[in-house]
Amino acid sequence: MILEIAQIEVKPGQEAEFESGVAKAVPLFRRAKGCSGVTLQRSIEKPTRYRLFVRWETLENHTVDFRGSPDFQEWRACVGHTFAAPPEVEHVREVVHGF
């Protein structure tokens, strides 16, 4: 499993609209090839900062299949206007599981 972590800075005052847009986009992720879940978390110390966690079966399910799909364009239409800057995205793989 690959975990996509997207750090997203939202324009001040756009937090509720961003959260609503992510909730609206959940079905896009649900039907995406290789996607097994999505979670959005909001920073307490920096309330305009969010981290979106998306679980993918393979890296290509995100970088090729989803990003190349019409659903990616719809995802961006739901939330892109609220971004203060382009999201910082990285992919990680679990190497140690404590408990």
Side-chain angles (χ1 to χ4, degrees), residues 4 21-35 38 52 54 56 61-80 83:
E4 170 196 357
V22 172
K24 180 180 173 184
V26 166
L28 304 175
F29 289 98
R30 184 181 307 271
R31 69 179 174 232
K33 179 182 177 183
C35 185
V38 61
L52 181 72
V54 187
W56 299 99
N61 287 150
H62 176 225
T63 60
V64 177
D65 301 325
F66 184 64
R67 284 189 181 168
S69 74
D71 282 346
F72 180 75
Q73 299 305 317
E74 190 173 342
W75 152 246
R76 281 302 181 99
C78 288
V79 296
F83 294 169

Side-chain angles (χ1 to χ4, degrees), residues 51-63:
R51 287 189 181 84
L52 181 72
F53 298 90
V54 187
R55 291 186 309 277
W56 299 99
E57 190 175 313
T58 68
L59 179 63
E60 291 75 19
N61 287 150
H62 176 225
T63 60

